[in-house]
Amino acid sequence: MRNRFPGYCYYCTTLVPKGEGHFEKRQGAKGFRVIHAECVFKQREEKAKAVEAAQ
Ligand SMILES: [Zn+2]
């Protein structure tokens, strides 16, 4: 879901302007965290590499 409010990306820690990224609800906590759309892909790549390395 696109972020309706600006916030700081939890992946690269820089500002995500409104509508430029995605937000995720935090489990068991108030509020939400924000990530750039491009950082979602970077994070996925890293996870994929981690899986490859583990095999
Ligand atoms: Zn980012």
Side-chain angles (χ1 to χ4, degrees):
M1 196 183 254
R2 290 281 167 174
N3 59 322
R4 277 180 274 173
F5 304 98
Y8 288 93
C9 178
Y10 70 83
Y11 186 79
C12 71
T13 71
T14 60
L15 188 70
V16 186
K18 178 187 167 187
E20 299 279 304
H22 300 267
F23 77 84
E24 297 173 5
K25 277 186 183 173
R26 279 180 180 157
Q27 271 191 330
K30 285 179 184 172
F32 56 89
R33 58 186 191 171
V34 185
I35 186 167
H36 290 109
E38 62 191 63
C39 287
V40 173
F41 293 110
K42 288 180 198 170
Q43 193 185 45
R44 275 188 200 152
E45 264 178 39
E46 271 189 17
K47 278 183 187 170
K49 278 177 195 167
V51 170
E52 268 177 36
Q55 281 172 345

